[in-house]
């Protein structure tokens, strides 16, 4: 898909109208909304182009490499441990990113139910515009000699990448902690599934804003030793057992033992939940 043309002068004009009108109270609420809607309508094709297909296309080659290498490092961290033979499926980044885009649209976009192919990112774009200062925009434009539309598209894509990192980290966390086997153990011979209650309690089904990974470790930190928490956190951050051993000054085998011991504690903890 070809990069859509956006009139950058119009983007600049509307952006200044909105931010200055907001700052100096020269526009009432209705006028501010109209200016913002006009700004979004102009830049919407570029925003959608930015985060569909190869979502690194908006970045420089150096940044593009950094974005993907972080995801790949997370993926590979799952395979470099004693349970690697159990996990045959590697993350298919293309299909995974497509899935996360659909999830992102469902969570943060506006969808026309009568025409589901028509969707809007007006709310996350509104959050972005209100969060970033005009001074910061001007400084970046002056430093890199970029267009205003390009700057906003990059920042919007950064926001979406943050969402992707949370999703991937959450999903890899569930795999690392052998969630399928935990769920099976929790539901075995019982009429209620305590693990489902655990997931629902911590909003792991839908609410990705409250990072599910942090919620998990917050709820179980009382049953884990400091060393067990360190090893699990490093695994989820993408480190291998060899790297963890170097960081914590232990052997790789001991790192694996700590992970296995922590996993048993977590499974027992979840199965006791009511």
């Amino acid at each position: 898909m070809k990069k859509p043309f956006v009139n950058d002068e119009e983007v600049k004009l509307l952006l200044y109208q909105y931010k200055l009108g907001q700052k100096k109270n020269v526009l009432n609420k209705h006028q501010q909304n109209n200016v913002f809607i006009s700004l979004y309508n102009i830049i919407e094709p570029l925003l959608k182009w930015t985060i569909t297909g190869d979502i690194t296309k908006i970045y420089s080659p150096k940044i593009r490499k950094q974005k993907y290498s972080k995801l790949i490092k997370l993926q590979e961290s799952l395979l470099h441990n004693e349970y690697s033979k159990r996990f045959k499926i590697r993350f298919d980044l293309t299909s995974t990113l497509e899935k996360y885009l659909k999830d992102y649209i469902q969570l943060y976009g506006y969808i026309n139910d009568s025409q589901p192919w028509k969707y809007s990112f007006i709310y996350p774009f509104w959050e972005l515009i209100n969060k970033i200062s005009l001074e910061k925009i001007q400084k970046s434009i002056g430093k890199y000699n970029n267009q205003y539309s390009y700057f906003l598209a990059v920042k919007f894509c950064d926001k979406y990448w943050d969402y992707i990192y949370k999703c991937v980290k959450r999903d890899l966390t569930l795999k690392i902690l052998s969630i399928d086997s935990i769920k099976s153990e929790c539901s075995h011979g019982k009429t209620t599934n305590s693990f489902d209650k655990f997931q629902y309690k911590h909003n792991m089904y839908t609410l990705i804003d409250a990072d599910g990974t942090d919620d998990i470790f917050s709820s179980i930190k009382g049953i884990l030793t400091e060393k067990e928490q360190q090893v699990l956190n490093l695994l989820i951050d993408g480190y291998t057992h060899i790297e963890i051993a170097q960081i914590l000054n232990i052997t790789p085998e001991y790192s694996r033992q700590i992970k296995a011991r922590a996993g048993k504690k977590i499974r027992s903890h979840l199965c006791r939940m009511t």
Side-chain angles (χ1 to χ4, degrees), residues 40-158:
Y40 175 77
N41 287 336
I42 290 174
I43 204 170
E44 182 189 57
L46 181 60
L47 300 180
K48 290 184 176 181
W49 174 85
T50 299
I51 65 173
T52 54
D54 176 9
I55 62 171
T56 62
K57 56 183 174 285
I58 194 74
Y59 298 114
S60 67
K62 180 180 178 181
I63 301 299
R64 185 181 303 130
K65 184 177 180 180
Q66 292 175 354
K67 294 289 184 181
Y68 270 124
S69 64
K70 187 173 181 179
L71 291 182
I72 293 170
K73 188 176 182 181
L74 277 174
Q75 175 183 246
E76 291 180 344
S77 71
L78 177 63
L79 303 176
H80 289 82
N81 58 65
E82 73 275 28
Y83 298 116
S84 60
K85 293 181 180 179
R86 291 173 55 189
F87 300 116
K88 300 293 185 182
I89 301 175
R90 294 174 64 90
F91 261 67
D92 179 347
L93 291 179
T94 301
S95 61
T96 299
L97 296 180
E98 288 176 357
K99 174 186 179 298
Y100 292 152
L101 178 59
K102 291 179 181 178
D103 292 344
Y104 189 74
I105 294 171
Q106 289 287 341
L107 283 173
Y108 301 114
Y110 171 78
I111 302 175
N112 185 336
D113 292 332
S114 63
Q115 298 177 306
W117 59 89
K118 288 189 176 181
Y119 58 92
S120 168
F121 286 124
I122 194 166
Y123 179 69
F125 184 66
W126 175 82
E127 280 191 323
L128 171 67
I129 293 298
N130 282 278
K131 185 176 182 180
I132 195 166
S133 68
L134 188 59
E135 289 76 14
K136 185 174 182 179
I137 297 173
Q138 292 170 326
K139 184 177 180 180
S140 179
I141 296 296
K143 182 177 181 180
Y144 298 105
N145 195 29
N146 288 329
Q147 294 184 321
Y148 286 83
S149 53
Y150 175 81
F151 174 85
L152 295 177
V154 168
K155 290 301 178 184
F156 187 80
C157 196
D158 286 345

Side-chain angles (χ1 to χ4, degrees), residues 169-177 179 213 216-217 236:
K169 188 177 181 183
R170 174 201 61 189
D171 292 346
L172 285 175
T173 301
L174 297 181
K175 286 184 177 292
I176 287 171
L177 296 179
I179 290 305
T213 301
I216 290 175
F217 285 109
I236 289 164

